[in-house]
Amino acid sequence: MKNRSLWFSLVGVGVALFVACSADPPVVDARVPNVSAWPEDDGQVFGGGYETISAAQPVFVRPGEYPPPIVERPEKSPSAMYREVNVKRDYMPYGSRGRSRRRMSPRYVTIHSTQNWSRGADAWRHSLALKRGALGRISWHYTVDEYRAVQHLPTTEQGNHADHNGPGNRTSIGIEMCEHPGNSRSQTMERTAKLAAWLCVKHDIPVRNVVPHYKWPRWGKNPPNKNCPHFLMTNGRPGSKWRGFVKVVERYHQQMTGR
Ligand SMILES: [Zn+2]
């Protein structure tokens, strides 16, 4: 008996020494969530129209709809997309001839190309020409080249780029794509597609309203519908190349909205 109790007390001392010398804190199962770290249910998850996953990523849920539909989360915020477009604001002087000073609620985005093949005819050069009044009453909202998009007019002011007093000028934001030597056409189109998608989100414009200049007939011109942007037209009118461009706009739109 004595030997046995000595054995037990030796084991006891050994365990006590092991616990005392062990430097590591007691192991806790890390998979158990810390309850206080979870946000409280504020009662708005399915009621207010938006289910807030995080502040940056609102996911749309129709009021009263339960269970909510599975919605893909937006991959990119509109402001991140806008930064990628690299917009440089360089407005034409308010009093210049090219400024209509007429208010507009944009419902379309009209895509053009400059057909200006002069060396160095990039977005900045077009901005300078517009600011100097070299193009008379002609004006549009953005010029895009491979590196940037220069903005010449607020998007809530009518430009003069499509069809004189027609709906193209009265309701659409005009974007010109540069064509000068050395400028990457594919990168210019990518940047233009991102800008068009961002404008659709900003002004709640459906992507189907991103249109080529061709859409707006010009009164008194023959042919009335311009072959513009010519490199996205097929035999002078919208075809597979234009549809391919719109698909890229759709993809960028989806990245921002998840829809
Ligand atoms: Zn045009």
Side-chain angles (χ1 to χ4, degrees):
M1 285 299 278
K2 262 191 182 172
N3 280 351
R4 190 175 279 187
S5 50
L6 177 65
W7 171 244
F8 274 119
S9 44
L10 276 174
V11 169
V13 168
V15 168
L17 271 174
F18 175 77
V19 171
C21 298
S22 174
D24 292 324
V27 176
V28 176
D29 188 349
R31 290 168 300 177
V32 177
N34 175 3
V35 174
S36 64
W38 294 88
E40 284 180 51
D41 180 1
D42 59 5
Q44 295 186 334
V45 174
F46 301 120
Y50 282 91
E51 179 190 5
T52 303
I53 301 294
S54 76
Q57 296 182 320
V59 174
F60 188 73
V61 177
R62 289 186 191 86
E65 192 170 26
Y66 187 86
I70 296 167
V71 187
E72 281 191 36
R73 283 194 203 185
E75 296 165 40
K76 198 173 278 185
S77 68
S79 50
M81 186 69 79
Y82 186 77
R83 282 195 296 276
E84 282 182 26
V85 177
N86 191 24
V87 175
K88 306 290 184 190
R89 200 171 273 181
D90 190 32
Y91 286 172
M92 302 166 68
Y94 190 71
S96 62
R97 278 184 73 207
R99 293 285 298 255
S100 72
R101 298 181 290 279
R102 288 194 200 137
R103 269 200 76 76
M104 171 173 80
S105 295
R107 293 196 289 116
Y108 291 86
V109 178
T110 301
I111 309 294
H112 305 259
S113 72
T114 60
Q115 298 191 52
N116 181 349
W117 295 282
S118 314
R119 196 156 288 282
D122 63 3
W124 284 123
R125 190 68 68 84
H126 282 89
S127 192
L128 196 61
L130 285 169
K131 287 198 298 182
R132 286 178 174 166
L135 301 169
R137 300 184 68 87
I138 302 291
S139 63
W140 58 93
H141 296 83
Y142 297 90
T143 307
V144 181
D145 62 29
E146 62 178 323
Y147 298 118
R148 79 235 358 133
V150 178
Q151 184 176 2
H152 319 294
L153 293 175
T155 52
T156 50
E157 181 176 323
Q158 289 180 27
N160 183 21
H161 51 89
D163 55 357
H164 312 294
N165 286 322
N169 281 340
R170 282 189 277 107
T171 64
S172 85
I173 297 168
I175 304 178
E176 289 278 357
M177 295 187 282
C178 287
E179 301 192 68
H180 55 292
N183 182 59
S184 160
R185 180 170 287 175
S186 62
Q187 286 185 41
T188 301
M189 287 195 295
E190 280 285 313
R191 196 174 295 283
T192 302
K194 287 179 181 179
L195 175 60
W198 181 82
L199 288 166
C200 285
V201 170
K202 180 167 196 280
H203 295 288
D204 201 20
I205 297 170
V207 171
R208 66 174 178 276
N209 285 9
V210 176
V211 298
H213 184 186
Y214 178 92
K215 178 182 169 67
W216 310 112
R218 300 160 301 162
W219 189 82
K221 289 272 173 96
N222 189 24
N225 298 77
K226 194 174 177 185
N227 178 13
C228 177
H230 66 96
F231 55 80
L232 283 176
M233 297 294 103
T234 305
N235 299 322
R237 55 179 51 174
S240 59
K241 282 185 273 183
W242 176 256
R243 286 195 297 276
F245 174 77
V246 172
K247 278 215 156 39
V248 180
V249 178
E250 267 166 12
R251 177 156 53 83
Y252 288 129
H253 190 267
Q254 200 163 24
Q255 283 184 3
M256 288 179 279
T257 61
R259 280 170 276 157

